[in-house]
Amino acid sequence: RQHFTAWQFSQFLHGEQGALICSARITESVPDLDSKFYAATQVMDEARHAEAYARFLQEKVGLLYPINPYLKTLLDQTLSDKRWDMPYLGMQVLSEGIALASFGLIRDMTTVELPKQLLAYVMEDEARHVAFGRLALRDYYAQLTSKELAEREEFVVEGCYLMRDRFKAEEVWKNLGYDVDDCIGAIEASPIMRQFRTLLFTRIVPCVKDIGLWGDKIRAAYTDMGVLEM
């Protein structure tokens, strides 16, 4: 339990560190001044979140795990793209959408008061970040061509599969000396874990549809993941 908690909150920490870099990138690259001002406030939020999670892990849990390879891949793809909207799409819609749902589920499940309060405070900021990204992209994507929209749908599909697979926790099983394939098989077969992973998309699916990315490829991917009803 200690290792799994450490792994979960370590990924939250690494996600916040990635969000800090992405929001700084948005501040630099977004074309209008009001968006720059808003993104600058998000930089401060993410720095505070990263500090809070780091202290929780160091002072209370006593363990820290490296960044999950699926999360790292999404962050690398998000930050390597030169288009100003991609940090919004990769971070504020996909990564923070999943994080917001995950924070809420763990906040409701835990009986320990400190992480419950920590997650609740962070969620207040994250909900605002996701909402702002949603508004910014909805207006911008209404102006794009079908080819440009298709490129972004491809990015969303790949990103959603990465976010779904990041919760297999291979690093924990390997670190504890368990058979990783057996553990992943147990997770894949577990009704509770399947439900957990499905519920993580409660905030992403409506947001992706709302911003105008709802082509055949998106719908096919969500059908394959079993989250289309979200």
Side-chain angles (χ1 to χ4, degrees):
R1 289 177 69 179
Q2 182 191 20
H3 277 265
F4 194 75
T5 298
W7 178 83
Q8 271 187 322
F9 279 87
S10 293
Q11 301 321 306
F12 293 165
L13 168 62
H14 298 311
E16 299 295 350
Q17 291 168 331
L20 175 60
I21 298 169
C22 284
S23 53
R25 169 81 177 276
I26 291 169
T27 305
E28 176 190 25
S29 61
V30 74
D32 64 287
L33 189 60
D34 284 344
S35 294
K36 288 182 184 293
F37 287 154
Y38 175 79
T41 69
Q42 185 174 341
V43 173
M44 293 188 290
D45 289 343
E46 305 299 3
R48 189 169 63 250
H49 300 169
E51 177 68 14
Y53 282 134
R55 285 191 59 193
F56 177 71
L57 284 159
Q58 291 161 3
E59 298 176 20
K60 302 298 181 183
V61 182
L63 283 172
L64 184 66
Y65 270 81
I67 188 170
N68 176 271
Y70 300 108
L71 176 60
K72 184 178 186 302
T73 299
L74 178 62
L75 289 173
D76 287 344
Q77 291 176 351
T78 298
L79 288 166
S80 63
D81 199 296
K82 302 300 182 185
R83 294 167 290 189
W84 69 263
D85 65 295
M86 298 310 278
Y88 275 111
L89 189 57
M91 180 51 57
Q92 288 178 294
V93 173
L94 297 184
S95 185
E96 294 209 330
I98 284 278
L100 198 52
S102 184
F103 295 168
L105 288 168
I106 296 171
R107 176 204 60 193
D108 294 342
M109 290 165 60
T110 184
T111 58
V112 184
E113 197 58 33
L114 177 60
K116 188 183 287 286
Q117 290 185 11
L118 173 59
L119 291 163
Y121 280 128
V122 172
M123 285 178 69
E124 290 181 11
D125 291 337
E126 300 293 10
R128 189 171 65 252
H129 302 164
V130 173
F132 185 79
R134 187 172 186 162
L135 289 171
L137 294 180
R138 184 170 60 193
D139 293 342
Y140 179 61
Y141 287 174
Q143 309 166 26
L144 297 187
T145 65
S146 57
K147 181 177 181 294
E148 290 169 326
L149 290 174
E151 291 172 351
R152 286 152 176 85
E153 287 189 7
E154 185 77 38
F155 178 84
V156 167
V157 168
E158 185 173 355
C160 284
Y161 278 114
L162 288 169
M163 291 297 94
R164 181 197 66 175
D165 291 342
R166 69 179 273 202
F167 288 94
K168 294 178 181 177
E170 292 105 317
E171 304 96 308
V172 175
W173 320 131
K174 185 176 180 180
N175 192 30
L176 295 175
Y178 298 153
D179 186 295
V180 175
D181 290 337
D182 281 353
C183 290
I184 291 175
I187 288 174
E188 296 285 0
S190 165
I192 293 174
M193 282 304 297
R194 276 207 300 266
Q195 182 69 7
F196 177 78
R197 288 164 67 189
T198 299
L199 288 171
L200 293 177
F201 284 85
T202 52
R203 293 181 181 271
I204 287 187
V205 176
C207 185
V208 168
K209 185 176 183 182
D210 184 57
I211 63 178
L213 300 180
W214 202 243
D216 292 341
K217 188 168 288 188
I218 290 273
R219 292 199 298 273
Y222 286 162
T223 300
D224 176 56
M225 288 187 228
V227 300
L228 190 65
E229 71 274 11
M230 299 296 176

